[in-house]
Amino acid sequence: MEQAQPAGGDKCKVGPTGPRGPRGHKGATGPTGPTGPTGATGATGTTGATGATGASAPCNDIDSYAPSDTRSFSTALFNGRAFVGESTTLGGNIAWQDLTNADNPGFPLGFACSVGIHAQGNDAYVRVLTTDGRVFQTHGDINGQFTWDEGWTQLTGPATGALRAKGFKADTLQGAPRNH
């Protein structure tokens, strides 16, 4: 009996490989992969140039002294100019005089940064400290009048003078009389 053959021939026999076929179309892009680890920190950059110095604000200051309950003296530094004033009532309005005018030559205009006043008897003094450590003073007569017509003189400043090595304490609890 004869064996039956599959229709279309013997498919079990394999022949030689044929030539490679043409390349197919590009497929769709796949999904994004996971994020990788963070890289090392880079080197520090160079320091930038120093910026310009800004304008400084004018120094303003005030000081007062009341030798009695019917008279007080004040001095003020405002926008680089010094003023002195007198009040005939304690805490009252002050009549101001400019100490940077022609009657008071030698004022360190543009450098004064703090001001103070002190008086004893018929004499009063206004002192200013400059931004570079110099001290200047002028004198006024307060013997019933209030006359300020003397020039400014430079004194030894704290930057060049001898400073205390120990603390300074002066109070009325140590038996010193009060200034009345």
Side-chain angles (χ1 to χ4, degrees):
M1 184 172 176
E2 210 177 307
Q3 285 193 337
Q5 295 288 327
D10 180 7
K11 300 249 180 193
C12 292
K13 293 183 184 176
V14 177
T17 302
R20 183 177 189 132
R23 184 176 189 111
H25 296 292
K26 183 176 180 181
T29 302
T32 301
T35 301
T38 301
T41 301
T44 301
T46 57
T47 301
T50 301
T53 300
S56 59
C59 297
N60 297 312
D61 195 13
I62 190 166
D63 187 32
S64 297
Y65 169 70
S68 70
D69 61 354
T70 59
R71 197 170 191 204
S72 67
F73 309 115
S74 295
T75 185
L77 189 64
F78 181 69
N79 286 335
R81 296 174 57 195
F83 300 87
V84 67
E86 177 183 30
S87 176
T88 56
T89 60
L90 194 58
N93 285 326
I94 302 168
W96 293 103
Q97 295 179 33
D98 188 348
L99 292 178
T100 59
N101 58 22
D103 289 339
N104 308 98
F107 180 75
L109 195 61
F111 291 95
C113 202
S114 64
V115 66
I117 188 168
H118 64 278
Q120 186 69 44
N122 295 327
D123 299 300
Y125 296 89
V126 169
R127 291 182 178 169
V128 295
L129 177 64
T130 64
T131 55
D132 57 1
R134 296 176 293 152
V135 174
F136 291 81
Q137 83 173 8
T138 188
H139 170 263
D141 298 309
I142 57 170
N143 56 349
Q145 299 294 318
F146 196 66
T147 307
W148 294 82
D149 58 1
E150 297 180 24
W152 290 86
T153 56
Q154 185 172 351
L155 306 175
T156 302
T160 57
L163 301 177
R164 294 183 185 274
K166 295 184 179 180
F168 178 73
K169 181 176 173 128
D171 60 31
T172 58
L173 298 176
Q174 300 296 322
R178 292 184 66 190
N179 185 5
H180 291 283

